[in-house]
Amino acid sequence: MKIKDVEFVLSAASAKQFVRDGLPQVAFAGRSNVGKSSLLNRLLQRKKLARTSSKPGRTRMVNYFLVNKRFYFVDLPGYGYAKASKTDRQSWGVLIENYLRESAEDLRLVLLVDAKIEGSPLDGQAFEYFRSLGVAQLVVATKIDRLPRSKRSRSLKKIAERLDLEQVDDILPVSAETGEGIDKLWAELALG
Ligand code: GTP
Ligand code: MG
């Protein structure tokens, strides 16, 4: 994908602000700190477009980036942030649910799972929840550079078990650090 133009559009804190202009949206979901903002930056070849942080819980709103004036990338707040208050967790749930329920007609979700952590019960719950809402999901295993090649297939297998996926091949290993898997991810997204 040739990135000609990327524009930060807005951060939505509630459903009123969601963008519904008919353009396709690709949303990035996953645990806090899994590497959503980093992956988005890598895909868009911009270093600091979406703010990344070594501290979890950085992204708290639904952030829209318009790419080539043709589609949106949407950085969603992460789940499973251990230090989040109960109220924070509830508002996360409401925000994501509203976004998935009433956002774009053409919505694709990229679910990120940390390759090193091999997925958590929360990832399994998120996958199931998104599926119950009828959203198409593409699963990627992030930070694959942190695993030696000998440990990779085991990690992907574990993630597939977590999510109850039949095909390990359905999980795409990626690294925002080295760029591994990035071209494949663009191809899977099929944005033309
Ligand atoms: P929240 O916004 O808090 O939900 O986090 P996030 O999912 O957006 O994660 P973020 O992109 O901020 O990355 C979290 C940490 O993981 C940062 O320290 C990144 O540098 C690191 N990281 C992200 N992607 C990779 C990767 O592919 N490889 C390695 N080695 N580190 C990564
Ligand atoms: Mg983030």
Side-chain angles (χ1 to χ4, degrees):
M1 171 71 57
K2 192 156 186 231
I3 310 299
K4 286 175 263 178
D5 174 79
V6 187
E7 196 185 322
F8 169 73
V9 180
L10 63 94
S11 293
S14 73
K16 287 197 294 290
Q17 300 164 300
F18 290 161
V19 176
R20 298 181 196 84
D21 60 4
L23 291 179
Q25 298 189 7
V26 181
F28 296 82
R31 285 188 72 175
S32 190
N33 211 43
V34 72
K36 296 175 295 299
S37 302
S38 302
L39 182 61
L40 205 136
N41 287 338
R42 182 77 196 202
L43 284 161
L44 298 177
Q45 299 152 26
R46 303 287 194 281
K47 284 220 152 54
K48 286 184 182 151
L49 192 68
R51 274 194 280 170
T52 62
S53 168
S54 52
K55 292 199 195 85
R58 177 79 249 185
T59 311
R60 285 167 189 244
M61 292 195 269
V62 175
N63 298 311
Y64 294 84
F65 301 90
L66 179 61
V67 185
N68 293 350
K69 307 214 184 319
R70 288 191 30 238
F71 55 87
Y72 292 96
F73 269 13
V74 182
D75 194 11
L76 296 173
Y79 49 81
Y81 171 40
K83 286 195 185 137
S85 65
K86 198 168 165 211
T87 329
D88 274 353
R89 276 199 288 270
Q90 280 166 348
S91 61
W92 175 89
V94 172
L95 193 63
I96 301 280
E97 180 167 348
N98 285 337
Y99 173 76
L100 295 174
R101 274 187 196 282
E102 43 181 297
S103 245
E105 305 83 69
D106 184 353
L107 170 67
R108 281 157 247 195
L109 191 70
V110 180
L111 177 64
L112 288 77
V113 180
D114 193 315
K116 186 105 191 215
I117 299 174
E118 303 180 340
S120 72
L122 270 179
D123 295 317
Q125 284 167 30
F127 182 78
E128 190 43 48
Y129 173 62
F130 297 147
R131 182 160 58 187
S132 75
L133 294 174
V135 184
Q137 301 181 67
L138 183 67
V139 180
V140 302
T142 63
K143 309 188 190 181
I144 199 71
D145 58 280
R146 294 180 64 197
L147 280 183
R149 298 210 170 255
S150 59
K151 294 201 172 143
R152 293 184 182 188
S153 65
R154 187 195 118 103
S155 163
L156 297 180
K157 218 170 129 219
K158 285 264 180 199
I159 294 170
E161 279 167 21
R162 279 273 186 225
L163 306 186
D164 223 355
L165 285 176
E166 274 165 34
Q167 296 279 351
V168 178
D169 294 349
D170 289 345
I171 303 170
L172 182 64
V174 297
S175 167
E177 195 78 21
T178 65
E180 185 174 343
I182 295 297
D183 289 345
K184 274 197 191 141
L185 179 51
W186 273 120
E188 292 276 342
L189 291 174
L191 289 156

